[in-house]
Each structure stands twice: as structure tokens, then as C-alpha cells.
Amino acid sequence: MEDFKTKTGRTVEDMSIKDQLILDKLPRHVAIIMDGNGRWAKQRGNSRVFGHKNGVKAVREVTEAAAELGIDYLTLYAFSTENWNRPKIEVDALMALLVSTISSEAKTLMKNNVKLNAIGCKESLPDHVQKQLENCISETSKNTGLTLSLALSYSSRWEIVEAVKNIAQAIKENTVDPEDITNEVFSNYLTTAGIPDPELMIRTSGEHRISNFLLWQLAYSELYFSEILWPDFRKEDFYRALIDFQSRERRFGKTSDQLKK
Ligand code: IPE
Ligand code: IPE
Ligand code: MG
């Protein structure tokens, strides 16, 4: 197809991808494991940090795309508990990048009516990162569009253990009766309390694993794996994942015939 740019700057081919989306069948919550920054940089003979810096554009693209489509929740895995074990130079660079990105993107978040949220062990982040994060969270707290949750110093097992500790404490204080603990009650002790489970989870870079991300919340999510390395991920790739999601039959244990009734 002829690859000319339209007035909006999108190519005809790109427009047709977006046009394939069924707008009343969009997920409410999409979660993404943004992976492949290091390999992207290596392919270019550059440092891993160069890959992380170039991943920011992809974050902007998917956030904007999700906000434009009216998706309610987007959760991005930005830094795992296990990522603290990377070389100090990389960890320090990631923390610095986080601060500079939050400060440079705050305006765009306001413009797109995006509310920032963070899940994970915030206390383990350096003070200046915590401060910058809190500032942006409070600045965007009145926005009513997309809720963008950044998973920072996050791992699902950490989150589940924290929930268990808090429930145990509540039982000790007689504010919770063990008999009353249900799926819903347990969910309310997780960092994602109040946020519906993701209907779709995307992982880039060709890795087929969950890496300690939202283990409880992904129980019935559709999983989509893309070969694209995160810094190359664009709106059109996000639309492709959504289109694929829309072609799936979500049975939740039932038979296909039952769903058609
Ligand atoms: C994802 O890219 C970003 C973070 C985990 C912070 P990686 O840094 O894991 O990139 P690869 O997987 O080594 O290519
Ligand atoms: C998962 O990516 C964490 C983030 C994307 C932040 P990793 O690249 O750290 O995952 P593994 O260790 O290869 O599974
Ligand atoms: Mg990786």
C-alpha cells in the first residue's frame, strides 16, 4: 500500500489498523510488561541505559493511545523487585530516568486527563524519586480519564505477602473474621484495590513469562506476546494487541455453546 502521510500524520495503513477496532468491546484495563530495552540498545552497539531512555517514547505512545480510546486503566511494569539486583549503574540510571520522565511528562498527563498512580514498595525507592512521584500523583489526582499505574519496585509475591501480613494483623485486632475472607476481600488488600483485573496483558520482546507481575490479578487475563522490543512499540502495535484480544472467546470455565445463549 502506498505509504503517504495523511493530514493527521498517520499513514493510510495505520488508519486501517485503528479502524479495525471494535470500540464498544475494548478492555477496561490493560497491563504491559515493557521488555527488551537492553536488547534494543545492544543491537545498536549502545549501553542498556540508552535502551531505557528510548523506551520513554513507547510509554508516551501507549498512554496516549489508551487515553484516546477511553480505556480506564493502564498498568505498566517499569521496575520489578528483582530489578534491584541489576548493576548499580543501571539501577541509578533507571531511577534518574524515572524522575526526569515524570517531571517532563506531567504536562502531557494533565493535557490527556490522565491520573497517575503507583503500585509497589514505594518506600524502597530513593527519597527524591518518591517525592517526584508523590508530586505528580497529587497534581493529577483530580483527572478523570485514564488511570496510569506504574509498577515500581513491584513484584506480585511481595504484594501477596504484604496482603497476608495485613490480613493477619486485622485478624489479631479482631477487625476481620477469617470466615469473612473472600476473593473480593483479599483483592482489597492488594496494591490494585479498587482497580478491576486486567482483561489483557501484553509483554514485548518475545519473552513468554509473567516475571512476578500481577499473579493474582492476571488469573483470567488474555495474554498477548509481541516480538517487538519495547523502544519500538508504537500506537499501531497497541491497536494490534487490542484487535487480537477482541477476536478471543473468553469462556471463564464455561463452554463455547453456553456463551452463545
Ligand atoms: C525492560 O527492558 C526494562 C526494565 C526491566 C527496567 P530490559 O532492561 O529488561 O531489556 P532486556 O530484556 O535486557 O532486553
Ligand atoms: C520484567 O522484565 C520487569 C519489567 C519489565 C520492569 P525483566 O526483563 O526484568 O524480566 P526477566 O527477569 O527477564 O524475567
Ligand atoms: Mg528484560
Side-chain angles (χ1 to χ4, degrees), residues 121-174:
C121 182
K122 283 171 232 168
E123 302 76 44
S124 65
L125 297 167
D127 285 348
H128 68 292
V129 178
Q130 286 187 44
K131 262 192 208 112
Q132 186 71 256
L133 199 59
E134 277 159 22
N135 284 346
C136 193
I137 288 172
S138 79
E139 203 184 319
T140 61
S141 64
K142 299 219 159 57
N143 288 346
T144 53
L146 174 76
T147 296
L148 170 66
S149 297
L150 295 182
L152 292 169
S153 192
Y154 173 89
S155 69
S156 199
R157 286 187 173 178
W158 162 82
E159 170 181 52
I160 290 170
V161 169
E162 284 300 302
V164 171
K165 281 189 200 164
N166 289 327
I167 294 172
Q169 188 62 32
I171 292 172
K172 221 165 115 183
E173 291 164 4
N174 279 321

Side-chain angles (χ1 to χ4, degrees), residues 34-39 48 52 78 83 86 90 94:
M34 312 184 287
D35 200 11
N37 296 351
R39 279 162 282 167
R48 298 181 53 83
H52 298 314
N83 289 150
R86 291 195 177 189
E90 183 172 345
L94 278 166

Side-chain angles (χ1 to χ4, degrees), residues 33 35 201-207 209-211 224-226:
I33 301 179
D35 200 11
M201 195 286 287
I202 301 170
R203 183 170 189 151
T204 60
S205 87
E207 304 296 354
R209 55 177 174 264
I210 305 289
S211 301
Y224 178 89
F225 298 101
S226 164

Side-chain angles (χ1 to χ4, degrees), residues 190-229:
L190 298 173
T191 59
T192 49
I195 297 177
D197 290 341
E199 293 95 330
L200 172 64
M201 195 286 287
I202 301 170
R203 183 170 189 151
T204 60
S205 87
E207 304 296 354
H208 296 175
R209 55 177 174 264
I210 305 289
S211 301
N212 220 344
F213 187 45
L214 303 175
L215 299 177
W216 171 275
Q217 298 89 334
L218 294 179
Y220 253 111
S221 307
E222 295 299 325
L223 308 181
Y224 178 89
F225 298 101
S226 164
E227 292 296 317
I228 297 169
L229 301 177

